[in-house]
């Protein structure tokens, strides 16, 4: 061998030996910092002497902050701890993420180098503090990596930099991410705080651990070891949503309490959440909750309950910061529409908030509710701090980008509209409007309250600023403008003022924005708005062919309402000799014992062709309705917004976001879907008062006692999860009908133009003898099942038994297989994954005979009443043009075996056909008459795609 080769071989052997020495000598280095102290924990492969010295360096650019040799203060199990204090360093904080170059050297080893920062994150008196300053956490919980983006992209430094920069640009100051070194380094550099650690339901594979000390070592050496040196990491998760009650809950609490005590001794520069979402702060430093108010239970207004800890926590809590590290929900997919994940809470939630709107409108409506829920949750958390000073942070768990699976650059993700709302609601210096009268008349006076919340990123006070407000029309033109000088607002404090604003009477009806701005000189420091629907005084009058209107009103509110709206009526106190051509109106909360005693007369009046309008009745009076309507109804008594968890059973007594099941019906003339969401409060309520504002259009909803009685009902408006609750319906009996309304109308008269219009419409519809009253929708075209517009209100709630079938749109880079369960649910790869794979959109594609079924648990998941034989059923009623003799339905068998479908019409004509595996085939059944009931029965894996009458 040549001499040069001998030397090369020697060098290679030496380098390999040095690499081996590095691997065997220093196993892990973790740095913990405060504002002036550095603690270094080093794990060695072999025992070291306490007198041995190691070189520790700290550099700011080319300047040394620290450069010397140090002996460990303590040694335990080959682990050495070094502690150096009184360092002159600049603190790391989001607005100035100062980093230092740390180097640890051991003789015979390559040095270990890290970027570190100095900061302290702690809890004091129920507040979160960063570097001695109180801090509100403005978080986002659903982020890459691990969300379906190609791994080479989402784990790249360029992608992480662009992503985190964007979130900072919309004022997010903390995110939840998995353990990934690249992402943590980027967060360190850009000043993005992080909530990380063990976000799972097991600790070292156990639920819960039995060997506490072994589990604590797992936290230190596995779950937290790789992230603990990062200054951006502020909160450790110990577990997520594990049991919190019962024997298992007690086991978890004992373990987490023990582990928290041990971990605080190890690292007390950060805060710990013991049981994220469910633990109520029993273990850990933060009382953290997961509440999806405004998604699959309750409404966004339930966040009002956070004013009072006793409302949301079922015991007297410790003095601790309160965070919601999951909330909002409203999971929209790549199309922007809600994701209809099968066997899940998402489909019923979609119906709650976007109803049976046309699928072309679904993305916009979903975007609007997602933004409304986020705005309500985040801004209430911030402006209610004077009432509950422990409110310290909120992390919406919601999907804020359209594209995931196939992006190659961050720019391709495309932010959803909700990000614009985040940017407004997360402004460090926040303008937030308290507005519970969204619908008003022109010429009236509104009195919104403006809140100023100072969470300045540089911890500065607000001084010498002007507040400017404008009422703007749809073109952005200011129709009202004024301003006033703001008083000083110190950092982390709030200020508010009620502002009376006279609305000019000459404005046209439409949507307006009340914009508020904080201005310093020519600079706008903050800007936000609240929305109004303004209407001119409704000149709508009752039809020319109006029947006599007889009003029975014991409470008096309906009488005053009719007088204000100039509805011609005769007030009566007895029910006798009612002309058959009259309209009998039972006023709100007036279905008293007298009416119950006269039920036979009322019932006969309707049967002979009379029209009855029964306005909303409270839970004490509602049962009396059943004595004079032909369909037994059940009043719902549980309120929508309750703080308890889990929430009470559905449907709720009151509700928002009414779905016009027959939007072209005369009852909804001139009223759009958006105007049926939230109505104006008539009580003068504000956020310092107990309870809730009266903003719920539905106050006393109901359901049929028996589903088969839906044959006699036209459900005009419904509400709630899976549209279970009924807001207004027409019940047919003989030649007449009764309109039963559960909506809160009379007390809003003169205040809310939408409510007034609806009341006028109902009276006009029932009193016009020339209007046709149709029990069933008229079907003149093919029905594409799952397409709400083509279904024309045939199916309401869970009553029909026909369940929307959802299929996944498979992204290009997804290699998962399609799975079809025995109940017919179709998944890409497996159940769930709506949040871990947000790039997979589940869309409506037909309906399945699934009933009878209900909704299980508070997750509102469709569940067959009987699932033993796999056979489901469903039905609907409709009207047809003359001459139709045949019902033809296209059926898809998505199973791998032949399946049989039976079709029955009017309980007389029957057709049965076996559909081959994977095939789409037509099933024909004869029909007779112009009012038809069509029933389907078959395996739940069968999908009805289209029905046509020929």
């Amino acid at each position: 061998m040549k001499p040069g080769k001998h030397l090369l071989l020697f060098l290679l052997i030496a380098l390999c030996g040095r690499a081996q020495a590095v691997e065997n000598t220093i196993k892990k280095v973790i740095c913990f910092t405060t504002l002036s102290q550095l603690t270094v924990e080093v794990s060695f492969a072999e025992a070291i002497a306490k007198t041995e010295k190691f070189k520790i360096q700290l550099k700011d650019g080319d300047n040394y902050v620290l450069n010397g040799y140090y002996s460990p203060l303590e040694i335990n199990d080959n682990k050495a701890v070094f502690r150096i204090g009184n360092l002159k360093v600049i603190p790391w904080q989001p607005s100035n993420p100062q980093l230092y170059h740390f180097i640890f050297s051991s003789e015979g080893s390559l040095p270990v180098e890290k970027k570190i920062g100095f900061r302290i994150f702690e809890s004091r008196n129920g507040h979160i503090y960063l570097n001695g300053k109180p801090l509100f956490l403005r978080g986002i919980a659903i982020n890459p990596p691990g969300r379906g983006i190609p791994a080479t992209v989402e784990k790249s430094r360029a992608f992480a930099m662009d992503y985190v920069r964007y979130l900072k640009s919309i004022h997010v100051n903390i995110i939840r991410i998995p353990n990934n070194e690249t992402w943590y380094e980027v967060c360190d550099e850009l000043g993005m705080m992080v909530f990380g650690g063990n976000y799972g339901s097991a600790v070292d594979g156990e639920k819960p651990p039995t060997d506490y000390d072994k589990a604590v070592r797992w936290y230190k050496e596995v779950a937290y070891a790789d992230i603990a040196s990062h200054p951006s990491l502020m909160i450790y998760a110990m577990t997520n949503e594990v049991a919190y009650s019962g024997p298992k809950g007690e086991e978890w609490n004992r373990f987490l309490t023990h582990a928290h005590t041990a971990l605080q001794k190890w690292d007390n520069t950060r805060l710990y959440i013991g049981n994220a979402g469910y633990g109520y702060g029993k273990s850990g430093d933060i009382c953290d909750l997961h509440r999806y108010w405004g998604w699959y239970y309750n409404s966004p207004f339930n966040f009002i309950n956070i004013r009072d800890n006793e409302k949301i926590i079922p015991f007297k809590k410790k003095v601790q910061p309160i965070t919601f590290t999951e909330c909002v929900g409203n999971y929209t997919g790549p199309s922007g529409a809600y994701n209809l994940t099968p066997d899940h809470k998402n489909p019923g939630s979609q119906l709650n908030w976007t109803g049976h709107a046309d699928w072309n409108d679904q993305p916009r409506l979903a975007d609007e509710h997602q933004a409304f829920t986020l705005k309500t949750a985040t801004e209430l958390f911030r402006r209610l701090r004077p009432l509950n000073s422990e409110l310290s942070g909120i992390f919406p768990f919601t999907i804020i980008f359209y594209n995931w699976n196939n992006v190659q650059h961050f720019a391709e993700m495309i932010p959803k509209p909700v990000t614009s709302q985040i940017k407004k609601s997360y402004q460090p210096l926040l303008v937030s409007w308290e507005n519970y009268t969204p619908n008003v008349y022109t010429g009236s006076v509104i009195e919104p309250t403006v809140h100023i919340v100072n969470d300045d990123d540089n911890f500065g006070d607000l001084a010498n600023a002007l507040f400017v407000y404008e009422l703007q029309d749809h073109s952005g033109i200011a129709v009202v403008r004024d301003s006033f000088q703001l008083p000083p607002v110190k950092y982390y404090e709030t200020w508010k003022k009620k502002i009376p604003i006279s609305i000019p009477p000459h404005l046209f009806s439409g949507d307006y924005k009340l914009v508020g701005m904080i201005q310093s000189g020519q600079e706008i420091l903050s800007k936000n708005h609240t929305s109004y629907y303004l209407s001119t005084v409704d000149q709508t009058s009752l039809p020319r062919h109006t029947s006599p209107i007889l009003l029975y009103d014991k409470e008096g509110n309906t009488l005053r309402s009719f007088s204000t709206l100039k509805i011609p009526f005769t007030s009566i106190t007895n029910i006798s000799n009612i002309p058959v051509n009259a309209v009998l109106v039972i006023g709100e909360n007036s279905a008293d014992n007298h009416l119950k005693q006269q039920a036979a007369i009322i019932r006969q009046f309707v049967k002979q062709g009379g029209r009855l309008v029964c306005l909303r009745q409270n839970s004490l009076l509602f049962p009396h309705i059943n004595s004079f309507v032909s369909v037994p109804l059940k009043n719902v008594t549980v309120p929508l917004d309750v703080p308890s968890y889990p929430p009470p059973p559905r449907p709720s007594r009151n509700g928002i976001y009414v779905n016009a099941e027959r939007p072209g019906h005369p009852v909804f003339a001139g009223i759009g879907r958006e105007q049926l969401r939230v109505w104006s409060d008539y009580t003068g309520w504000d956020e310092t008062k107990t309870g809730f504002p009266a903003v719920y259009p539905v106050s006393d909803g109901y359901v049929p006692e028996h589903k088969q009685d839906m044959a006699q009902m036209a459900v005009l408006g419904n509400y709630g999860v899976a549209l279970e609750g009924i807001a207004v319906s027409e019940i047919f009996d003989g030649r007449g009908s009764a309109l039963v309304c559960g909506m809160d109308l009379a007390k809003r008269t003169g205040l809310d133009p939408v409510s007034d219009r609806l009341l006028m419409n109902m009276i006009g519809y029932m009193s016009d003898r020339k209007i046709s009253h149709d029990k069933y929708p008229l079907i003149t075209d093919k029905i594409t099942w799952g397409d709400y517009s083509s279904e024309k209100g045939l199916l309401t709630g869970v009553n029909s038994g026909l369940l929307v079938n959802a299929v996944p749109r498979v992204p290009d880079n997804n290699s998962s297989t399609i799975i079809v369960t025995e109940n017919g649910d179709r998944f890409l790869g497996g159940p769930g994954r709506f949040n871990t794979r947000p790039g997979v959109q589940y869309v409506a594609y037909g309906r399945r005979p699934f009933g009878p079924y209900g909704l299980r648990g508070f997750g509102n998941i469709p569940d067959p009443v009987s699932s033993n034989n796999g056979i489901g059923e469903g039905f609907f009623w409709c009207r047809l043009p003359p001459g139709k003799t045949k019902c033809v339905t296209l059926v898809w068998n998505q199973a791998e075996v032949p399946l049989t479908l039976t079709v029955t019409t009017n309980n007389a004509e029957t057709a049965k056909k076996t559909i081959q595996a994977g095939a789409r085939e037509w099933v024909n059944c004869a029909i007779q008459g112009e009012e038809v009931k069509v029933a389907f029965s078959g395996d739940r894996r069968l999908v009805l795609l289209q029905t046509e009458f020929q």
Side-chain angles (χ1 to χ4, degrees):
M1 184 177 290
K2 294 181 181 179
K5 290 190 175 180
H6 279 290
L7 179 60
L8 180 60
L9 181 61
F10 173 80
L11 289 173
L12 287 172
I13 292 171
L15 286 172
C16 289
R18 184 170 175 81
Q20 187 66 32
V22 171
E23 182 181 350
N24 290 337
T25 303
I26 302 176
K27 305 296 287 186
K28 182 77 68 175
V29 177
I30 300 174
C31 298
F32 305 116
T33 62
T34 65
L35 290 174
S36 60
Q37 179 176 283
L38 170 64
T39 300
V40 184
E41 179 185 278
V42 185
S43 299
F44 294 92
E46 301 170 352
I48 63 169
K50 193 169 184 180
T51 56
E52 191 171 348
K53 289 186 177 292
F54 300 86
K55 191 173 186 180
I56 300 178
Q57 298 170 294
L58 196 64
K59 298 175 67 177
D60 180 9
D62 295 330
N63 301 318
Y64 282 97
V65 177
L66 185 68
N67 188 10
Y69 289 87
Y70 297 87
S71 297
L73 295 179
E74 54 187 83
I75 297 174
N76 184 20
D77 293 335
N78 298 346
K79 194 173 289 184
V81 177
F82 304 80
R83 189 168 291 114
I84 305 165
N86 298 316
L87 296 171
K88 304 300 182 184
V89 291
I90 298 171
W92 184 101
Q93 63 188 43
S95 60
N96 182 29
Q98 174 71 38
L99 294 176
Y100 293 87
H101 185 189
F102 166 85
I103 309 166
F104 183 89
S105 303
S106 174
E107 186 176 347
S109 301
L110 289 174
V112 175
E113 302 183 39
K114 294 177 181 291
K115 292 286 187 68
I116 66 171
F118 289 81
R119 86 291 170 281
I120 183 74
F121 197 73
E122 56 191 333
S123 170
R124 300 185 204 164
N125 303 318
H127 299 156
I128 286 173
Y129 281 77
L130 173 65
N131 302 336
K133 298 285 188 179
L135 185 73
F136 187 86
L137 304 180
R138 309 186 300 266
I140 291 293
I142 293 183
N143 304 286
R147 303 284 177 184
I149 296 170
T152 55
V153 176
E154 71 174 355
K155 294 182 180 179
S156 71
R157 179 177 176 81
F159 182 87
M161 289 289 285
D162 288 344
Y163 185 96
V164 174
R165 278 199 187 103
Y166 176 77
L167 289 196
K168 281 188 70 76
S169 77
I170 60 173
H171 308 306
V172 174
N173 65 11
I174 186 167
I175 59 176
R176 199 186 81 203
I177 55 174
N179 295 9
N180 180 275
E181 188 66 17
T182 298
W183 277 77
Y184 268 90
E185 288 176 355
V186 166
C187 290
D188 292 343
E189 294 171 25
L190 296 181
M192 177 63 77
M193 297 184 291
V194 176
F195 167 29
N198 177 43
Y199 209 79
S201 60
V203 175
D204 196 17
E206 294 189 78
K207 302 181 179 184
T210 52
D211 186 335
Y212 286 10
D213 293 336
K214 177 174 176 288
V216 169
R217 287 195 301 274
W218 178 83
Y219 277 125
K220 294 179 181 179
E221 298 171 5
V222 178
Y224 300 159
D226 292 335
I227 59 176
S229 296
H230 291 282
S232 57
L233 178 65
M234 300 294 168
I235 300 173
Y236 288 114
M238 299 173 69
T239 62
N240 175 61
E241 293 189 356
V242 299
Y244 60 95
S245 60
K248 185 64 72 174
E250 289 301 316
E251 289 180 39
W252 270 113
N253 189 51
R254 282 193 296 271
F255 162 70
L256 290 171
T257 300
H258 171 91
H260 175 235
T261 301
L263 289 169
Q264 269 195 320
K265 293 178 181 178
W266 176 66
D267 180 8
N268 66 353
T269 70
R270 300 176 169 95
L271 298 179
Y272 294 81
I273 294 178
N275 178 1
Y278 289 178
Y280 294 106
K282 288 182 178 179
S283 54
D285 304 303
I286 295 173
C287 178
D288 183 59
L289 304 179
H290 292 172
R291 298 291 184 267
Y292 287 97
W293 299 330
W295 178 225
Y296 65 97
Y297 56 95
N298 303 112
S299 87
F301 297 114
N302 207 39
F303 282 94
I304 291 168
N305 278 309
I306 63 178
R307 298 175 303 181
D308 183 354
N309 288 349
E310 293 181 2
K311 294 283 188 183
I312 58 175
I313 299 162
F315 51 83
K316 188 171 178 58
K317 69 182 281 292
K318 293 182 282 186
V319 177
Q320 286 179 321
I322 295 173
T323 60
F324 279 33
T325 57
E326 287 187 21
C327 60
V328 176
N330 286 276
Y331 307 116
T332 59
S335 76
Y338 283 130
N339 219 334
L340 301 182
T341 322
D343 194 31
H344 198 259
K345 53 203 170 195
N346 287 351
S349 303
Q350 173 268 305
L351 291 171
N352 194 356
W353 306 117
T354 60
H356 282 155
D358 186 280
W359 279 106
N360 291 322
D361 290 333
Q362 288 285 335
R364 174 184 63 83
L365 296 171
D367 285 337
E368 289 173 355
H369 184 65
Q370 182 187 29
F372 175 66
T373 303
L374 186 138
K375 173 185 174 70
T376 304
T378 56
E379 294 189 18
L380 278 172
F381 244 83
R382 299 180 69 185
R383 70 179 187 241
L384 291 180
R385 285 207 314 252
L387 302 178
N388 185 351
S389 64
E390 294 182 338
L391 298 174
S392 298
I394 186 165
F395 296 63
F397 190 80
T398 193
I399 297 164
I400 65 174
F401 296 99
Y402 283 108
N403 301 325
W404 298 77
N405 285 64
N406 300 302
V407 302
Q408 296 302 311
H409 307 280
F410 167 73
E412 296 174 353
M413 291 190 74
I414 304 179
K416 293 184 177 181
V418 70
T419 57
S420 296
Q421 187 60 59
I422 293 170
K423 189 171 185 177
K424 294 186 184 81
S425 298
Y426 272 3
Q427 294 174 96
L429 182 61
L430 174 69
V431 173
S432 182
W433 291 101
E434 179 182 344
N435 169 23
Y436 294 104
T437 57
N439 306 325
V440 292
Y441 284 104
T442 58
S444 62
V445 176
I446 56 175
E447 292 189 298
T449 296
V450 64
H451 294 250
I452 309 297
V453 182
N454 185 2
D455 291 333
D456 180 62
D457 284 341
N458 291 306
F459 313 113
D461 298 339
L462 175 67
N464 301 318
L466 190 71
F467 185 74
V468 181
Y469 60 92
E470 296 180 345
L471 184 65
Q472 299 177 352
D473 64 19
H474 71 281
S475 64
I477 295 174
V479 296
V480 175
R481 179 183 171 89
D482 206 343
S483 63
F484 56 84
Q485 193 71 29
L486 283 171
V489 183
K490 292 183 178 180
Y491 172 72
Y492 210 70
E493 292 189 357
T494 65
W495 176 89
K496 68 178 182 178
K497 178 182 176 66
K498 182 178 286 189
I499 305 175
I501 302 172
S502 296
I503 299 175
H506 59 269
L507 300 180
F508 51 78
S509 298
D511 295 320
Y512 290 74
K513 290 181 179 179
L514 178 60
V515 180
M517 295 168 279
I518 301 174
Q519 195 167 318
S520 177
Q522 297 302 310
E523 183 183 4
I524 296 176
L525 304 180
S526 181
K527 184 178 181 180
N528 202 356
H529 76 269
T530 185
S531 298
Y532 283 91
Y533 171 73
L534 304 185
S535 176
T536 57
V537 175
D538 198 340
Q539 301 299 323
T540 302
S541 59
L542 295 183
R544 291 177 58 192
H545 307 284
T546 300
S547 301
I549 300 170
L550 308 179
L551 174 62
Y552 182 89
D553 183 35
K554 290 293 186 180
E555 190 180 60
N557 287 324
T558 307
L559 187 148
R560 288 189 289 272
S561 178
F562 276 29
S563 298
T564 300
L565 295 174
K566 297 181 172 54
I567 298 175
F569 70 96
T570 299
S571 180
I572 62 173
T573 57
N574 289 297
I575 303 298
S576 60
N577 299 321
I578 309 172
V580 74
N581 69 333
V583 176
L584 173 61
V585 180
I586 299 172
E588 292 187 354
N589 294 330
S590 297
D592 58 7
N593 283 324
H594 171 71
L595 291 188
K596 185 178 180 181
Q597 293 166 3
Q598 301 299 316
I601 296 175
I602 299 173
R603 185 73 181 269
Q604 186 64 23
F605 159 73
V606 173
K607 279 180 175 292
Q608 290 176 350
R611 302 295 182 190
L612 171 67
V613 177
C614 183
L615 299 177
R616 66 110 165 175
Q617 309 296 320
N618 63 35
S619 57
L620 294 177
L621 298 173
F622 191 92
H624 293 171
I625 296 176
N626 285 335
S627 62
F628 48 78
V629 297
S630 60
V631 171
L633 304 175
K634 182 167 62 175
N635 182 221
V636 188
T637 59
V638 177
L640 172 61
D641 286 316
V642 294
S644 61
Y645 184 84
R650 315 154 320 273
S652 59
R653 172 182 59 81
N654 52 341
I656 61 177
Y657 282 61
V658 174
N659 172 64
E661 196 63 76
R662 300 189 189 181
H665 195 279
V667 160
F668 296 113
I671 300 174
R673 175 178 293 274
E674 293 80 0
Q675 294 162 4
L676 292 169
R677 290 173 176 169
V678 178
W679 286 353
S680 289
D681 171 69
Y682 52 79
T683 67
W685 186 90
D686 67 58
E687 289 167 1
T688 65
K689 298 177 181 178
T690 59
F692 294 89
V695 294
Y696 307 85
V698 180
S699 60
D700 295 275
Y702 57 94
V703 294
E705 191 79 47
H706 310 292
K707 290 181 181 178
Q708 63 267 26
D709 288 333
M710 295 294 294
Q712 303 304 316
M713 297 179 68
V715 175
L716 306 181
N718 44 16
Y719 68 98
V721 174
L723 300 178
E724 279 189 293
I726 298 176
V728 57
S729 72
E730 188 172 6
I731 300 172
F732 294 83
D733 189 9
R735 296 196 300 272
S737 64
L739 191 75
V740 180
C741 179
M743 302 177 76
D744 193 1
L745 302 172
K747 292 181 180 178
R748 288 191 169 86
T749 297
L751 169 66
D752 191 311
V754 180
S755 170
D756 287 350
R757 181 64 183 263
L758 185 68
L759 179 57
M760 291 286 289
N761 284 349
M762 289 195 300
I763 301 303
Y765 168 65
M766 294 299 281
S767 63
D768 188 346
R769 287 288 162 173
K770 294 203 170 183
I771 290 181
S772 174
H773 289 248
D774 301 316
K775 191 186 305 183
Y776 307 131
L778 178 66
I779 302 300
T780 58
D781 201 352
K782 66 184 177 185
I783 302 167
T784 299
W785 294 112
D787 178 352
Y788 298 147
S789 290
S790 82
E791 291 176 353
K792 297 187 180 300
L794 290 171
L795 311 176
T796 62
V798 301
N799 300 304
S800 72
L802 293 174
L803 181 71
V804 166
N805 181 63
V807 298
R809 288 177 177 163
V810 183
D812 291 343
N813 72 344
N814 195 298
S815 59
S816 301
T817 58
I818 295 290
I819 298 170
V820 180
T821 69
E822 62 181 9
N823 274 336
D825 296 319
R826 190 177 186 86
F827 296 103
L828 181 64
R833 306 187 182 191
F834 63 94
N835 59 342
T836 58
R837 294 294 180 266
V840 179
Q841 176 97 44
Y842 283 85
V843 299
Y845 186 72
R847 287 186 180 263
R848 286 180 281 137
F850 199 79
Y853 72 94
L855 302 177
R856 88 173 168 265
F858 68 92
N860 317 310
I861 299 171
D863 200 27
V865 173
S866 174
S867 56
N868 294 334
N869 58 7
I871 300 299
E873 60 185 43
F875 48 84
F876 67 92
W877 291 269
C878 68
R879 288 184 300 123
L880 301 174
K884 302 295 183 181
T885 61
K886 186 169 56 175
C887 170
V888 295
T889 300
L890 180 61
V891 185
W892 172 37
N893 177 6
Q894 56 176 336
E896 297 179 352
V897 295
L899 298 174
T900 301
L901 179 75
T902 300
V903 182
T904 305
T905 60
N906 286 341
N907 301 318
E909 305 291 341
T910 300
K912 183 180 290 188
K913 186 171 185 179
T914 298
I915 315 296
Q916 298 304 308
R920 288 170 169 81
E921 300 185 27
W922 290 94
V923 181
N924 300 337
C925 187
I927 56 174
Q928 293 183 4
E930 295 177 11
E931 289 191 348
V932 178
K933 177 185 179 182
V934 181
F936 303 95
S937 177
D939 191 284
R940 294 189 178 93
R941 291 171 288 182
L942 292 170
V943 182
L944 313 178
L945 297 177
Q946 285 188 353
T947 292
E948 189 173 355
F949 296 96
Q950 300 174 351

